[in-house]
Amino acid sequence: MKDKDYQEIFSQFKGKEADLLPILLRIQEKEGYISEEAIRRISKFLKLSENQIYGVASFYPKYRFNPPGRKSIKVCMGTACHVRGGKFLSDAVGWKLGINIGQTTEDKRFDFQRATCLGCCTLGPVVKINDDVHSRMLVTGLKEILEKHD
Amino acid sequence: MISFEQRQDEARKKWNALQSSKVPVIYVGTATCGRAAGAMDVLKVIRRTLKEHKLKAKVVEVGCIGPCYLEPLMDIVVPGNPRISYSNVNAESAQKIVENYLLKGNPLPMLAAGHFGENGHPVTAGIPRFFDMPMLKHQVRVVLRNCGYINPDSIDHYLANDGYEGLKKALAMGHEAVIAEVEEAGVRGRGGAGFPTHRKWKICRSVAGDDKYMICNVSEGDPGAFMNRSLIEGDPHCVVEGLLIAAFAIGANHGYIYINSDYTLAIARLKTAIDEMSELGLLGKNILGSGFDFDIIIKEGAGAFVCGEETALIAAVEGRRGMPRSRPPFPAVEGLFGKPTIINNVETLGSLPNILRNGASWYKQYGVPGNYGTKTFSLVGSIRRGGLIEVPLGIKLRKIIEDIGGGSLKKFKAVQTGGPSGGCLSEEYLDIPVEYESMTAAGSIMGSGGMIVMDEDACVVDLALYFLNFTQKESCGKCSPCRVGTWHMVTILERITKGEGTTEDLTKLQTLAETAARASLCGLGQSAPNPVLTTLRHFRSEYLEHVQDHYCSASCCQELVKYYIDPEKCNGCQRCAEICPTEAISGVRTQLHEIDFSRCIKCKACYEVCRFDPLAGNAISIKSVRRVS
Ligand SMILES: Cc1cc2nc3c(=O)[nH]c(=O)nc-3n(C[C@H](O)[C@H](O)[C@H](O)COP(=O)(O)O)c2cc1C
Ligand code: FES
């Protein structure tokens, strides 16, 4: 992110402590993760220590601290998907990509996340790749959708 | 600025014009569930087909009407005819239906799910009434009354359906009278605990001072529940109207909506709603000339289940780590920024406009004494007809699962309510009424509305482990009974699902669970042991089976099952080898295949293809074998 991107985000806020979470969200939306540079800049803007910002940000599962892949695979690990075999799916995705949940493949093609319910539980198991939701997904269909998103 | 009444009039005219439209109207359900099933593609095809044939029609996007298993849903109204609903449409069938119905006047009854008119109309011959379908027949629609009917992005649609009438009445009645009406209606919080709403309002109202806050809790942390999300996506104004009524009652001038940032569609709908309200003078200073001032800030949450807990939610809104604190002081006395604060659930708020508009006695026709009103549930899992439902309290669980849901896909085993804070009930409990007290007495809880049905293919020990894994990860770490207790329970449960558990482990588990429930600081830790306690109580034999026989009768626990290829049945079609993500299966075409167990991750892929692929021989089986001691 460039200087003006930060300025644009900061200009929407008053600079109070309560602005911390929304600022982090806006930065993550823009850049895909929270970089060390971002934490330094927020610290200056909100006059909070970098430690405190990192402490707050790392509490919330939403924030990531490493750059995302070009495509983001989210496997739903919600209860409805779990009882329909969501775990098998996430095992298989991890195996196919050779990474664990929270990591990005070396070629930066995919990152692998877990979701706690994507809101379409009747259609589980569900996998979301960027904005595409694949419902009633079985491991048998995995190869095909991964190739489609290559 | 035109007056509220003028705008209401205009809205009604617009709505009536839509109802008696001279051109056909096509409704598409584009809530999250519809979108996941492909509603946006359907929408595109409809627009394209209309253009291709130069057909004039209005296309309206609506929320979810409930039966998600039928998504995508497309409804068509041809002038003079009842609305007809088509289910499970895709790009191809949508085009076919639009062309046949709009061009040739043939509504294709074979593809229709139901109609919204009276029976006996020639066009609807052979089509049942939508609300006579088994899934809908036993439901009542109070909170969800507008979902799937109105365009959620249009305040006019809401106004035309008596929107903001409840608020108007509340403003005229005065603060105390609103609280009294809500008390009379017997409203209990729908966020899970069922705490009488008027009681906390009264406490907050009685605290001196002008700075008070009203918060709507859209944290919806239960993984596998979507009631709150769906309500906001389908009818955002009813929740916001409820927020205004509650704020007026307690005397708060500032409102927050704390919403999960992953709920992008719901957030967008709320933003539109708030903009339209401000334009109309329903937010800001001196609302509807009553002297009541109110503003709303949407606060996006960044995950964390514990942030659904009131004091943790407040910490999150203030920009800190979402950790709960001990109470008292209760938020009603000392909450957000140290000021008196009331937090209510989405559904609690969504019921208020109806209660104020129609009166407490109207509301009390639903439900039973002590448990008045309705409750929404997301009915999912192994169920024939899954989706979002609304039922009167006091209804039997069996009625929900069998009559509304159509029963489980395979033999019924359990129903889980209340998510990570709730429990599992077995077949014997299906005849208890759905009421706060009876659900708790049975060992589960009413919860916020998650209802997951499990059949014989699901293992309750695995489910207990699933929930404990969840709460262990979500534990904020502030108090040790929760932080350490959940960790130990996970360790023991993992041992059991691997067939390494002992009978003493069950006793240890019970003691640990009871201790964590008693000693934890907040509701998360206090209720986290519930999934363990109820499964130990209702499904002890399944635990014993894992411990004594190293056997999982559901063939679910991965460490306790083996995969077999039946040499008689395997025809060497190579489908399993192609599909296996770890390349654990090998074999020459037309010859018996083999599984390399050192590579197999037991993901069931080979089993699924072998069973369902027409070329395959249904040769693969997954079995758990009892250990003979
Ligand atoms: C761990 C935990 C998670 C909770 N999650 C939610 C939630 O997602 N939504 C909700 O409305 N209430 C949740 N609650 C309950 C709230 O703390 C609170 O009681 C509720 O929002 C009050 O609203 P009501 O009185 O309208 O039910 C949760 C409680 C705990 C202890
Ligand atoms: S549990 Fe997977 S979408 Fe809800």
Side-chain angles (χ1 to χ4, degrees), chain B residues 14-151:
Chain B
K14 276 192 206 163
W15 174 259
N16 291 339
L18 181 70
Q19 300 311 304
S20 53
S21 165
K22 300 266 187 309
V23 298
V25 187
I26 304 178
Y27 298 87
V28 183
T30 56
T32 297
C33 51
R35 288 177 186 215
M40 296 321 264
D41 288 338
V42 169
L43 204 59
K44 255 192 241 153
V45 169
I46 295 172
R47 295 216 162 99
R48 203 187 57 213
T49 312
L50 293 174
K51 211 166 155 193
E52 249 172 49
H53 298 290
K54 300 203 172 51
L55 285 165
K56 275 215 171 85
K58 285 181 196 152
V59 181
V60 182
E61 288 184 45
V62 293
C64 171
I65 199 160
C68 303
Y69 76 109
L70 296 177
E71 294 286 0
L73 280 160
M74 168 180 84
D75 298 2
I76 303 186
V77 187
V78 164
N81 294 315
R83 173 167 170 175
I84 299 177
S85 187
Y86 299 89
S87 59
N88 299 115
V89 291
N90 53 32
E92 206 180 313
S93 64
Q95 179 174 356
K96 190 165 143 194
I97 295 164
V98 171
E99 287 178 346
N100 272 281
Y101 195 11
L102 299 197
L103 282 174
K104 302 180 197 150
N106 176 2
L108 299 181
M110 298 275 287
L111 297 180
H115 71 82
F116 291 75
E118 293 304 318
N119 277 326
H121 199 285
V123 165
T124 56
I127 305 174
R129 281 195 63 214
F130 194 80
F131 284 106
D132 283 347
M133 294 203 303
M135 184 177 188
L136 291 144
K137 200 163 69 181
H138 305 283
Q139 295 190 43
V140 290
R141 292 175 74 85
V142 173
V143 177
L144 301 178
R145 70 187 181 102
N146 286 326
C147 290
Y149 269 124
I150 66 168
N151 175 354

Side-chain angles (χ1 to χ4, degrees), chain B residues 157-288:
Chain B
H157 279 202
Y158 186 65
L159 286 174
N161 287 282
D162 301 328
Y164 294 104
E165 282 293 328
L167 173 68
K168 228 171 94 181
K169 238 176 160 173
L171 295 177
M173 283 161 72
H175 311 274
E176 318 302 336
V178 175
I179 299 180
E181 192 74 20
V182 168
E183 176 172 8
E184 174 58 26
V187 180
R188 298 175 66 172
R190 297 294 190 243
F195 190 78
T197 301
H198 71 271
R199 233 191 272 164
K200 59 183 189 188
W201 285 11
K202 271 189 186 161
I203 297 171
C204 186
R205 174 91 192 126
S206 67
V207 181
D210 285 336
D211 255 359
K212 290 179 187 171
Y213 291 95
M214 181 68 219
I215 302 180
C216 173
N217 186 349
V218 207
S219 166
E220 196 154 60
D222 175 355
F226 56 92
M227 310 73 51
N228 294 171
R229 173 187 205 147
S230 205
L231 177 58
I232 294 178
E233 287 177 358
D235 193 11
H237 283 286
C238 96
V239 177
V240 182
E241 183 180 351
L243 185 66
L244 259 74
I245 293 171
F248 173 73
I250 60 166
N253 298 114
H254 307 288
Y256 280 88
I257 299 178
Y258 181 80
I259 183 163
N260 191 333
S261 61
D262 287 335
Y263 285 16
T264 40
L265 183 61
I267 293 171
R269 300 236 149 118
L270 282 173
K271 284 188 175 152
T272 310
I274 289 173
D275 286 347
E276 286 194 296
M277 290 170 71
S278 310
E279 218 174 274
L280 232 164
L282 286 168
L283 282 177
K285 297 255 174 265
N286 192 16
I287 292 168
L288 299 180

Side-chain angles (χ1 to χ4, degrees), chain A residues 17-18 20-22 25-26 55-56 58-63 77-80 82-84 87-88 91-92 95-96 114 116-123 133 135-136 138-140 143, chain B residues 32-33 36 68 223-224 226 229 261-262 299-300 302-304 307 316-322 380-381 386-387 452 462 466-467 470 473 476 558 578-579 582 601-605 609:
Chain A
E17 184 180 353
L20 176 55
L21 291 176
L25 275 174
R26 295 291 90 82
V56 171
S58 61
F59 179 84
Y60 294 95
K62 173 98 183 176
Y63 301 118
M77 305 284 255
T79 322
H82 176 82
V83 300
R84 289 192 177 197
K87 182 176 182 315
F88 300 126
D91 284 356
W95 227 94
K96 285 230 76 132
R114 49 180 283 164
T116 42
C117 188
L118 293 164
C120 40
C121 319
T122 35
L123 307 171
V133 178
S135 53
R136 299 196 175 102
L138 291 174
V139 182
T140 47
K143 245 188 190 157
Chain B
T32 297
C33 51
C68 303
F226 56 92
R229 173 187 205 147
S261 61
D262 287 335
K299 227 18 186 202
E300 290 174 48
C307 289
V317 173
E318 289 173 353
R320 291 180 286 123
R321 289 166 77 101
V380 296
I452 289 154
D462 172 72
Y466 165 82
F467 278 124
F470 177 84
K473 284 200 186 79
C476 77
Q558 280 165 307
E578 285 160 20
I579 228 80
T582 64
I601 55 168
K602 298 185 178 172
C603 71
K604 264 183 148 171
V609 271

Side-chain angles (χ1 to χ4, degrees), chain A residues 10 38-48 50 53:
Chain A
F10 291 155
I39 291 193
R40 271 196 294 277
R41 283 178 184 257
I42 300 173
S43 157
K44 283 211 187 98
F45 177 62
L46 293 183
K47 302 189 179 60
L48 297 173
E50 288 177 28
I53 295 170

Side-chain angles (χ1 to χ4, degrees), chain A residues 11-23:
Chain A
S11 69
Q12 301 162 26
F13 297 93
K14 295 203 184 94
K16 291 196 195 137
E17 184 180 353
D19 295 335
L20 176 55
L21 291 176
I23 289 177

